[in-house]
Amino acid sequence: FINDTQTSEEKIAQDLQNSTSQKAGEKKFFIKADKSIQYGYLIKIMSILNDAGFKEIALLTKIEKPQKNKTLVPLWKLWVLF
């Protein structure tokens, strides 16, 4: 998803370029990813965006209150926000 619009791995860089008036490299993007998203896939998407010129990419996390004797750091579905 880019904001609320679904996209694909193949189209994400072009869709990002089309969804903003700013050029790649001029804007910071934020990625939220669900904990079900594999780390390697997240890195692959970040690499695609980086190769397309989007150099400032930040990851957002949501920290929940830890359960007794556990530390949880869940994430969301894969979203790119700007």
Side-chain angles (χ1 to χ4, degrees):
F1 286 86
I2 297 175
N3 290 328
D4 293 325
T5 305
Q6 189 168 356
T7 189
S8 68
E9 179 181 317
E10 296 79 19
K11 294 177 30 183
I12 192 167
Q14 185 63 45
D15 287 348
L16 259 181
Q17 290 170 345
N18 293 339
S19 67
T20 180
S21 61
Q22 294 182 330
K23 295 180 181 177
E26 294 180 354
K27 189 156 178 113
K28 183 175 234 178
F29 291 87
F30 301 90
I31 295 179
K32 294 192 307 184
D34 186 281
K35 64 183 177 181
S36 66
I37 300 293
Q38 293 182 357
Y39 180 75
Y41 182 72
L42 179 60
I43 296 304
K44 182 177 183 178
I45 295 299
M46 291 176 67
S47 178
I48 290 169
L49 296 177
N50 188 282
D51 290 347
F54 297 99
K55 302 299 181 190
E56 293 195 43
I57 303 168
L59 299 177
L60 299 176
T61 60
K62 178 181 177 185
I63 301 174
E64 292 184 356
K65 185 176 179 180
Q67 296 176 355
K68 187 176 181 178
N69 298 326
K70 291 186 180 180
T71 303
L72 300 177
V73 184
L75 302 172
W76 301 270
K77 289 181 180 177
L78 182 61
W79 290 70
V80 179
L81 309 172
F82 58 94

